[in-house]
Amino acid sequence: RFVVERLPAAGETFRLEGADASHARARRLSPGESVVLVDGSGREAEGPIRHADTTNEREAWPTPSR
């Protein structure tokens, strides 16, 4: 789970950066694995990681679930 300021719209790509990207890399999350984004108000979105690179960036394509 990653806490984000704003959930992306369905089909929109979301990029994990900074500390979140470092955390994802430390957890060895890679393309195809699922991540959950939460916005702190009870809403969440889940989707697969589409891209990961050596600069710690992770891109996910989440779909809002609530």
Side-chain angles (χ1 to χ4, degrees), residues 18-41:
D20 286 335
S22 294
H23 182 69
R25 185 168 188 240
R27 291 181 50 203
R28 298 181 184 203
L29 297 176
S30 57
E33 293 188 70
S34 186
V35 294
V36 176
L37 305 176
V38 296
D39 69 359
S41 70

Side-chain angles (χ1 to χ4, degrees), residues 8-16 31-37 45-51 58-64:
E12 184 178 69
T13 299
F14 183 85
R15 182 172 294 201
L16 293 174
E33 293 188 70
S34 186
V35 294
V36 176
L37 305 176
E46 181 175 1
I49 292 179
R50 291 183 17 171
H51 173 77
R58 299 290 186 270
E59 238 176 43
W61 195 331
T63 301

Side-chain angles (χ1 to χ4, degrees), residues 2-21:
F2 294 92
V3 179
V4 297
E5 199 171 297
R6 179 189 68 82
L7 291 178
E12 184 178 69
T13 299
F14 183 85
R15 182 172 294 201
L16 293 174
E17 299 176 321
D20 286 335

